[in-house]
């Protein structure tokens, strides 16, 4: 497929911009570029076809099944988009006075209250733009709290090895040292290891729960108690609340702050880099450190700056239209629908795991939460077919591959998260395809090594694509 820059034809264009109806303003000459920018010149139909072709080359939730573990790629109801496109939300400016944007402040306030209810927290900030950004923000709160109490020795964050990869990275970004602790043979936190790790230098613990192998830690209350008794705080990675929302709450499990991914659980489309939102909820004793401004409701909605704020972590209100989508989603599900969605997510994952368990090895036995992890270690040793080969072959059947080689504690891992928005027919079809690929692995391994066969691109050099991407067209 040609790039849009390669389709350019000098002088061709489309006139979509209206006549200028404000006074023209001349920029100082040193602010102007010296050469004309190279912008593609195309007619409307060419632009339309270009983007339609691009869209056909990718795979989204609206193309087919997308069981990408830990990412909660669920269907996002169209009503959310309609609400986020209302001119009252899209036509505002962040510098407008509070009185002029009362409706928008009410949206923020109502979602804050709903998320507080779902997580058992007292306040929520919508500044963070993504999950990892939320982790960074939450850890800043923990850091600010200890410093404010003169507790400068607390420099360590404990991170179990079943945590999401962003957890240790965020802790390092905030300036903490990371203490890794191992999981037990059931895939949960090893309590003895935790007891040995805590001490006077413990700033806190970061826990992903359900963890990245799809398990709800049965010792959760004891875990938070061990950390609190040592003077540390507890951070809950709630990026995927899909299995627990409306059923159990991080605040009730003893956590002091939590981030949520609105672009996972709360139905904002994601992939391709955003925009998303990773709001952070905290208990009242941390609220004074929150970034940005909080909405309060007295005589209309107002914005106030928390007293000991860590400052801004993003401009203005964060990604406001993501907040609109999430509120629409929460209100359309309601108090009954939210736990219903969570149960659907858990049921779908367990159904699929059960249907596959005769053919594929599961990393952990017993019921899972919203996702499950298979290990293709034995298959790899017997046939040479790796998790990557199976993942690539799924593409030929119109299924997005599961998350691969993660969590790191499982060899040849495939992590499957079906989500609650899939029907039993879709799950059954996927199960059949997984089984067929297993047969192919035994009968025709070469074909699998060459998969995918039906996609525009087969096996790009992923390291090169990540490390040295070519993002700019050179003439
Ligand atoms: C997705 C995810 C994150 C990171 O969220 P981003 O929005 O991608 O930064 C963190 N923790 C868990 C458990 C996740 O699944």
């Amino acid at each position: 497929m040609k790039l849009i820059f390669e389709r350019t034809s000098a002088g061709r264009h489309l006139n979509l911009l209206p006549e200028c109806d404000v006074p023209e303003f001349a920029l100082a000459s040193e602010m102007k570029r010296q050469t004309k920018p190279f912008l593609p010149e195309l007619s409307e139909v060419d632009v339309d076809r270009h983007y339609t072709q691009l869209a056909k080359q990718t795979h989204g939730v609206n193309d087919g099944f997308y069981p990408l573990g830990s990412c909660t790629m669920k269907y996002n109801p169209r009503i959310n988009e309609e609400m986020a496109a209302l001119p009252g939300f899209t036509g505002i400016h962040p510098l407008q006075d509070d009185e002029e944007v009362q409706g928008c402040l009410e949206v923020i306030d109502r979602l804050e209250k709903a998320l507080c209810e779902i997580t058992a927290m007292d306040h929520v900030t919508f500044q963070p733009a993504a999950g990892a950004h939320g982790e960074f923000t939450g850890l800043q709160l923990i850091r600010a709290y200890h410093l404010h109490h003169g507790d400068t020795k607390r420099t360590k964050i404990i991170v179990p090895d079943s945590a999401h990869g962003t957890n240790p990275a965020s802790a390092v970004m905030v300036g903490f040292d990371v203490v890794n602790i191992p999981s037990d043979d059931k895939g949960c936190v090893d309590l003895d290891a935790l007891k040995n790790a805590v001490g006077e230098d413990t700033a806190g613990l970061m826990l992903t729960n359900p963890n990245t192998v799809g398990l709800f830690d049965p010792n959760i209350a004891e875990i938070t108690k061990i950390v609190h008794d040592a003077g540390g705080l507890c951070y809950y990675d709630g990026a995927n609340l899909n299995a627990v929302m409306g059923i159990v709450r991080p605040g009730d499990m003893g956590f002091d702050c939590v981030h949520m991914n609105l672009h996972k659980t709360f139905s904002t489309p994601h992939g391709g880099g955003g925009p998303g939102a990773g709001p952070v909820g905290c208990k009242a004793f941390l609220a004074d450190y929150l970034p940005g401004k909080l909405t309060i409701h007295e005589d209309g909605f107002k914005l106030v700056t928390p007293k000991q704020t860590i400052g801004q972590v993003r401009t203005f209100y964060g990604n406001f239209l993501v907040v609109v989508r999430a509120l629409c989603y929460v209100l359309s599900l309601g108090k009954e629908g939210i736990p219903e969605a969570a149960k659907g997510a858990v049921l779908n994952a367990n159904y699929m795991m059960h249907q596959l368990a005769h053919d594929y090895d599961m990393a952990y036995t017993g019921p899972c939460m919203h996702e499950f992890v298979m290990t293709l270690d034995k298959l790899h040793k017997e046939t040479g077919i790796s998790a990557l080969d199976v993942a690539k072959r799924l593409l030929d059947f119109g299924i997005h591959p599961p998350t691969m080689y993660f969590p790191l504690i499982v060899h040849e891992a495939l992590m499957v998260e079906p989500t609650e928005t899939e029907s039993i027919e879709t799950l059954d079809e996927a199960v059949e395809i997984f089984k067929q690929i297993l047969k192919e692995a035994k009968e025709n391994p070469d074909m699998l090594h060459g998969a995918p066969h039906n996609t525009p691109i087969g096996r790009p050099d992923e390291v090169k694509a990540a490390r040295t991407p070519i993002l700019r067209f050179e003439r």
Side-chain angles (χ1 to χ4, degrees):
M1 186 182 156
K2 273 189 178 169
L3 299 177
I4 200 163
F5 295 98
E6 294 165 331
R7 293 182 177 276
T8 186
S9 170
R12 198 169 282 170
H13 60 277
L14 56 157
N15 282 319
L16 289 180
L17 294 179
E19 291 289 315
C20 177
D21 62 354
V22 291
E24 287 203 20
F25 179 81
L27 282 176
S29 64
E30 70 268 22
M31 295 175 78
K32 288 186 184 164
R33 57 163 77 237
Q34 300 304 314
T35 50
K36 273 184 88 174
F38 175 56
L39 297 173
E41 298 180 70
L42 293 98
S43 64
E44 181 169 334
V45 64
D46 290 335
V47 174
D48 196 323
R49 285 182 184 154
H50 174 76
Y51 284 107
T52 304
Q53 285 213 346
L54 273 184
K56 281 186 187 165
Q57 295 203 0
T58 181
H59 184 96
V61 172
N62 43 355
D63 291 301
F65 192 35
Y66 205 136
L68 186 64
S70 191
C71 290
T72 315
M73 301 300 287
K74 59 169 139 184
Y75 178 73
N76 308 294
R78 289 287 175 254
I79 182 80
N80 299 354
E81 295 304 314
E82 266 180 58
M83 294 304 111
L86 289 176
F89 294 135
T90 58
I92 52 161
H93 193 281
L95 288 175
Q96 270 174 265
D97 286 340
D98 296 357
E99 302 89 73
E100 295 172 359
V101 291
Q102 284 291 300
C104 297
L105 295 183
E106 183 173 352
V107 166
I108 294 174
D109 190 68
R110 287 181 75 171
L111 188 64
E112 181 183 357
K113 292 210 168 76
L115 295 182
C116 283
E117 180 63 33
I118 290 170
T119 55
M121 294 288 150
D122 298 311
H123 286 284
V124 170
T125 172
F126 291 102
Q127 279 230 317
H133 197 192
E135 294 167 20
F136 176 79
T137 306
L139 290 172
Q140 290 278 10
L141 302 181
I142 292 178
R143 184 171 174 272
Y145 172 84
H146 289 311
L147 289 181
H148 189 77
H149 289 82
D151 218 346
T152 51
K153 295 187 305 295
R154 298 196 178 270
T155 54
K156 296 200 168 133
I157 290 285
I158 300 169
V159 183
D161 63 4
S162 64
H164 194 264
T166 48
N167 290 190
S170 299
V172 169
M173 291 262 304
V174 175
F176 287 118
D177 297 325
V178 175
V179 181
N180 235 297
I181 55 166
S183 303
D184 60 18
D185 55 1
K186 294 187 201 76
C188 293
V189 172
D190 184 326
L191 288 182
D192 290 329
L194 178 63
K195 282 178 196 150
N196 287 334
V198 295
E200 288 191 340
D201 55 0
T202 302
L205 163 86
M206 280 184 101
L207 198 74
T208 307
N209 185 57
N211 64 19
T212 55
V213 294
L215 302 176
F216 189 104
D217 204 304
N219 300 317
I220 198 80
E222 188 167 356
I223 291 169
T224 55
K225 185 169 183 304
I226 292 171
V227 176
H228 282 153
D229 286 350
L233 299 185
C234 296
Y235 182 94
Y236 189 98
D237 180 337
N240 321 87
L241 278 185
N242 233 37
V244 296
M245 60 177 175
I247 295 174
V248 283
R249 313 189 302 167
D252 298 336
M253 299 175 213
F255 287 86
D256 305 297
C257 61
V258 50
H259 85 266
M260 297 142 263
N261 280 20
L262 299 189
H263 50 287
K264 286 180 181 167
T265 316
F266 296 97
S267 169
T268 272
H270 64 122
V280 170
C282 69
K283 293 282 191 189
F285 75 95
L286 289 173
D288 277 350
Y289 309 107
L290 283 170
K293 294 187 170 150
L294 288 176
T295 48
I296 53 165
H297 191 203
E298 53 179 45
D299 191 18
F301 292 95
K302 291 205 177 67
L303 289 169
V304 292
T305 304
K307 283 202 269 317
Q308 316 275 343
T309 181
I310 57 167
Q312 297 271 132
V313 296
R314 202 170 189 279
T315 49
F316 301 111
Y317 307 89
N319 283 329
F320 172 66
L321 293 177
V322 175
V323 175
V324 176
R325 289 183 180 90
L327 181 63
C328 180
Y329 181 70
V330 165
L331 291 179
S332 48
L333 286 182
K335 201 170 106 210
E336 297 76 24
I338 287 175
E340 214 44 49
K343 288 180 202 166
V346 173
L347 180 63
N348 277 1
N350 278 285
Y351 176 76
M352 222 180 139
M353 178 170 80
H354 182 80
Q355 298 299 80
L356 284 173
H358 293 295
D359 302 83
Y360 284 86
D361 292 330
M362 296 299 151
Y364 300 92
T365 51
C368 63
M369 297 304 284
H370 57 297
E371 60 194 0
F372 61 93
V373 181
M374 317 199 275
T375 166
L376 277 59
D377 208 21
K378 208 166 102 219
L379 182 74
H380 189 218
K381 288 191 179 118
E382 284 169 13
T383 65
I385 293 298
S386 63
L388 178 77
D389 294 326
V390 173
K392 289 289 182 189
R393 181 65 178 144
L394 284 166
L395 285 164
D396 283 333
F397 295 95
I399 293 182
H400 192 284
T403 297
M404 312 179 291
Y405 299 101
F406 188 81
L408 303 174
I409 47 181
V410 176
H411 293 292
E412 294 292 329
L414 284 182
M415 181 199 226
V416 183
E417 181 181 7
T419 84
E420 74 283 6
T421 57
E422 300 302 331
S423 66
I424 190 166
E425 290 81 9
T426 302
L427 301 183
D428 284 341
E429 273 170 34
V431 165
E432 282 317 308
I433 290 165
F434 267 103
K435 289 183 181 172
Q436 179 178 333
I437 294 176
L438 203 60
K439 241 171 93 193
E440 291 172 351
K442 288 169 186 155
E443 290 164 7
N444 193 359
D446 281 348
M447 190 271 290
L448 281 195
H449 290 311
H453 302 283
N454 309 332
T455 54
I457 297 176
R459 298 197 180 203
D461 181 337
E462 283 167 21
V463 175
K464 202 164 170 214
R467 295 283 155 82
T468 47
I470 301 169
L471 300 174
R472 177 171 275 210
F473 177 72
E474 302 281 354
R475 264 189 291 180

